[in-house]
Amino acid sequence: MSRDPDTIRVRTLFLSDLHLGTKGCQAEALLDFLRCYDAETIYLVGDIVDGWRLKSGWYWPQSHNDVVQKLMRKVRKGTSLIYVPGNHDEFLRDYVGVNLGGIELAEHAIHETANGKRYLVIHGDQFDLVVRHARWLALLGDGAYTTALFVNTYLNIIRRKLGLTYWSLSAWAKLKVKNAVNFISKFEELLAAEARRQEVDGVICGHIHHAAMHEHFGVSYVNTGDWVESCTVVVEHWDGTLELIRWTEALKQSFLAPQFAVSLDKPAALDGKAA
């Protein structure tokens, strides 16, 4: 692990839905975060590389390569890295159980926090009925989502010129469209039920690009969000407390240098009690 005095050291990082290989991936923001944070263990909770998008056209800028190299550098320095593939990088599920260059590939994992809580770590697409039973519809939805991100990119260029902060069109739509809200709620309920079935204290997942931490269904539900719209990550501190960090918001709320800004922002935390 890094010994840089400016680095914030935590016990565990949970990252998902980077979607490397797409124009929507906010790789530069992710690199800033990875420069500021170090962890004993990193979980990559699916959709790290977007195999769906890369099949239709190759896109891999230097910043995406830099993210991979940064993660591998952390592994070489002693960080344990566990990769749980999702539906967009499902080609890696053929290698579950294999250790690739220090990266452990797993279908899912059980993570025990420093305070003894046990969490199921899983991407979550297995509980998305559209992905499981209507793949063509999932691909169609992925195309619509990509279009929304394209519009969002140019919208935010205009907002920056006007001195306004980043705003996500697709995230706004999710919270305004009734069917989308119902889908998120049902997804959370199914993942919570799976955590209860496996007799653990909670679940840590990704997939739906909607970061959240709560205990609405009797166990801890933690969704890491994504690095396309929201730039969110879940960290476990040394006392076992889980915290959801919204990286771009943390930077906006501080006048300090980026490497210190995140320590001022704690929008949500779980320590075994309700957030």
Side-chain angles (χ1 to χ4, degrees):
M1 291 175 62
S2 170
R3 298 304 175 192
D4 186 336
D6 292 338
T7 300
I8 300 170
R9 297 180 182 85
V10 295
R11 188 169 185 261
T12 315
L13 290 176
F14 300 89
L15 290 156
S16 81
D17 298 272
L18 312 186
H19 289 276
L20 295 169
T22 70
K23 294 181 179 179
C25 172
Q26 298 198 46
E28 295 291 351
L30 178 57
L31 282 167
D32 285 341
F33 174 80
L34 292 173
R35 291 184 187 111
C36 297
Y37 268 81
D38 221 341
E40 200 171 69
T41 303
I42 297 176
Y43 285 92
L44 300 178
V45 195
D47 287 3
I48 304 306
V49 176
D50 197 319
W52 289 12
R53 191 57 49 195
L54 289 173
K55 282 182 180 178
S56 61
W58 187 259
Y59 178 79
W60 196 268
Q62 184 60 45
S63 59
H64 293 206
N65 199 55
D66 291 342
V67 168
V68 175
Q69 292 299 320
K70 185 66 175 177
L71 289 168
M72 293 306 299
R73 194 172 299 120
K74 288 181 181 293
V75 170
R76 289 194 296 271
K77 291 182 178 181
T79 296
S80 175
L81 197 151
I82 301 163
Y83 192 149
V84 178
N87 52 305
H88 282 260
D89 46 16
E90 60 191 351
F91 60 93
L92 289 172
R93 286 175 171 163
D94 292 337
Y95 303 96
V96 162
V98 175
N99 189 298
L100 297 176
I103 301 174
E104 179 185 343
L105 287 162
E107 184 177 356
H108 63 268
I110 302 295
H111 175 74
E112 185 170 341
T113 60
N115 57 7
K117 300 292 182 181
R118 296 171 69 244
Y119 289 84
L120 169 66
V121 182
I122 189 168
H123 180 63
D125 62 290
Q126 302 91 330
F127 299 88
D128 181 340
L129 297 181
V130 174
V131 170
R132 287 183 62 188
H133 302 296
R135 183 179 172 86
W136 66 270
L137 188 57
L139 291 169
L140 181 63
D142 183 60
Y145 180 65
T146 300
T147 301
L149 291 176
F150 176 81
V151 173
N152 198 68
T153 297
Y154 288 95
L155 177 63
N156 277 286
I157 289 174
I158 297 171
R159 287 178 62 85
R160 281 197 299 272
K161 288 181 178 179
L162 295 175
L164 301 173
T165 57
Y166 179 84
W167 181 76
S168 175
L169 170 65
S170 51
W172 173 84
K174 283 180 188 177
L175 298 177
K176 292 297 181 181
V177 179
K178 183 178 179 180
N179 286 345
V181 173
N182 290 341
F183 168 79
I184 290 171
S185 178
K186 186 62 177 178
F187 178 83
E188 293 178 348
E189 185 178 358
L190 288 171
L191 266 294
E194 179 64 14
R196 289 195 299 272
R197 189 185 72 81
Q198 297 211 23
E199 298 182 338
V200 293
D201 298 289
V203 60
I204 300 173
C205 61
H207 184 56
I208 60 172
H209 294 207
H210 184 71
M213 297 180 74
H214 61 70
E215 296 188 344
H216 297 166
F217 302 106
V219 295
S220 297
Y221 171 86
V222 180
N223 194 300
T224 59
D226 66 280
W227 285 82
V228 176
E229 301 170 51
S230 56
C231 296
T232 50
V233 57
V234 170
V235 306
E236 179 199 353
H237 296 288
W238 295 103
D239 62 356
T241 300
L242 298 181
E243 177 189 355
L244 172 62
I245 295 176
R246 301 180 186 274
W247 181 242
T248 52
E249 290 182 15
L251 297 183
K252 285 187 294 186
Q253 291 173 8
S254 176
F255 292 102
L256 300 177
Q259 60 264 38
F260 301 109
V262 74
S263 63
L264 304 180
D265 181 62
K266 293 194 175 183
L270 281 177
D271 57 3
K273 300 178 181 178

